[in-house]
Amino acid sequence: MSKATPLTLETAGKALQVELIANGKGTQALHDTIVAYRANRRAGTRGTKTKATVNKSGKKPWRQKGTGRARAGYASSPIWRGGGVVFGPQNRDFSKITPKKVKQLALKKAISERAKDESLILVEALELKDAKTKNLVALLEGFKIEGSVLIVLAEANDNIYLASRNHLALEAVTADSVNAEDLLRFDKIVLTQAALDKIAARLK
C-alpha cells in the first residue's frame, strides 16, 4: 500500500509547479464559477399557460349588455376557472457562460483553499482488484481517511468508479474533468501522483 501524504499550501504549490493563492484573490472567480455550474444544471422547464396560450375559445361568452351579468370578453380570462395564469413562471434558460481563465482561476483558488486546510491527500496510486465498495472503503481506511471523499484519478478506472458509485460519501472523477465545485463538496480529496501532474498541466 502506498503512503498518503497531506498536501499543505506550500507543498501543493511545489507539486503543481504553480503559485497557489493564499489571499483573497480568486474568491469572486470561485463564487461566479460555482454559481454558473449550478445554474447550468437547472432545467428551466417549468411554466404556466397565460390567457394567450390556454386552450379556450376567443369568442365572447355572452352579449355585452342586457343579461344582468358582468361584462366578459373571453373564456381564457385569468379571473375564471380554467383561464390563464397571471405572472406565473415561464420556461427560461438559466445557463451562464464563464470565461476559461475565470474557471482556471477558480480551480486554482479551490485547490489553494483545500491545501490550506490540508484536505488534499496525495497517494502514489490507487488500485482495486474488483469493483467492490467494501474493498474501496477498506483501502481508504488504510490511509486513515474519513468522511466524504473525492477520488481524483489520472485515467478512468472502472473498478474504482463502480465501487464508489454505490457509496453516498464517495465519488471518483478524472483529473481532466474535476472542477472547483467538486473540490469544495467533499471532506477530503484523494489524488494520485499522475492525476496531480495532469492538474498541474491544466493550471499552467
Side-chain angles (χ1 to χ4, degrees), residues 21-93:
I21 304 168
N23 51 31
K25 181 181 178 182
T27 302
Q28 188 63 46
L30 181 59
H31 174 270
D32 292 345
T33 301
I34 291 179
V35 167
Y37 283 143
R38 293 179 177 179
N40 293 343
R41 289 198 296 268
R42 297 182 68 177
T45 54
R46 65 175 185 169
T48 56
K49 289 186 176 182
T50 65
K51 65 181 183 180
T53 56
V54 69
N55 186 20
K56 291 284 185 177
S57 171
K59 180 183 176 182
K60 190 175 177 66
W62 53 77
R63 67 178 189 267
Q64 182 81 347
K65 295 178 180 292
T67 65
R69 305 181 70 177
R71 292 172 292 183
Y74 46 89
S76 60
S77 172
I79 65 173
W80 284 18
R81 181 177 180 273
V85 177
V86 180
F87 304 132
Q90 298 297 316
N91 295 348
R92 57 172 292 190
D93 181 11

Side-chain angles (χ1 to χ4, degrees), residues 54-125:
V54 69
N55 186 20
K56 291 284 185 177
S57 171
K59 180 183 176 182
K60 190 175 177 66
W62 53 77
R63 67 178 189 267
Q64 182 81 347
K65 295 178 180 292
T67 65
R69 305 181 70 177
R71 292 172 292 183
Y74 46 89
S76 60
S77 172
I79 65 173
W80 284 18
R81 181 177 180 273
V85 177
V86 180
F87 304 132
Q90 298 297 316
N91 295 348
R92 57 172 292 190
D93 181 11
F94 289 97
S95 64
K96 298 177 182 291
I97 298 175
T98 308
K100 183 178 179 180
K101 287 187 177 180
V102 174
K103 288 183 181 180
Q104 190 178 43
L105 179 59
L107 180 62
K108 187 180 293 187
K109 178 65 175 178
I111 293 176
S112 300
E113 291 300 312
R114 300 319 305 267
K116 189 185 299 183
D117 59 17
E118 297 188 7
S119 297
L120 296 178
I121 310 295
L122 180 65
V123 298
E124 294 177 11

Side-chain angles (χ1 to χ4, degrees), residues 167-186:
H167 198 294
L168 293 176
L170 298 178
E171 187 172 329
V173 296
T174 61
D176 293 331
S177 64
V178 67
N179 58 48
E181 186 184 15
D182 293 334
L183 295 174
L184 298 182
R185 287 193 299 117
F186 295 85

Side-chain angles (χ1 to χ4, degrees), residues 133-199:
T133 304
K134 65 178 182 180
N135 291 344
L136 179 58
V137 171
L139 181 63
L140 294 175
E141 288 177 349
F143 290 131
K144 297 182 180 180
I145 299 173
E146 299 178 350
S148 59
V149 180
L150 176 68
I151 302 170
V152 185
L153 305 169
E155 302 291 343
N157 185 303
D158 289 341
N159 285 345
I160 293 179
Y161 170 72
L162 293 173
S164 64
R165 187 178 64 175
N166 197 35
H167 198 294
L168 293 176
L170 298 178
E171 187 172 329
V173 296
T174 61
D176 293 331
S177 64
V178 67
N179 58 48
E181 186 184 15
D182 293 334
L183 295 174
L184 298 182
R185 287 193 299 117
F186 295 85
D187 297 329
K188 297 292 182 181
I189 316 297
V190 176
L191 307 102
T192 63
Q193 183 61 58
L196 191 65
D197 295 339
K198 280 201 169 186
I199 294 176

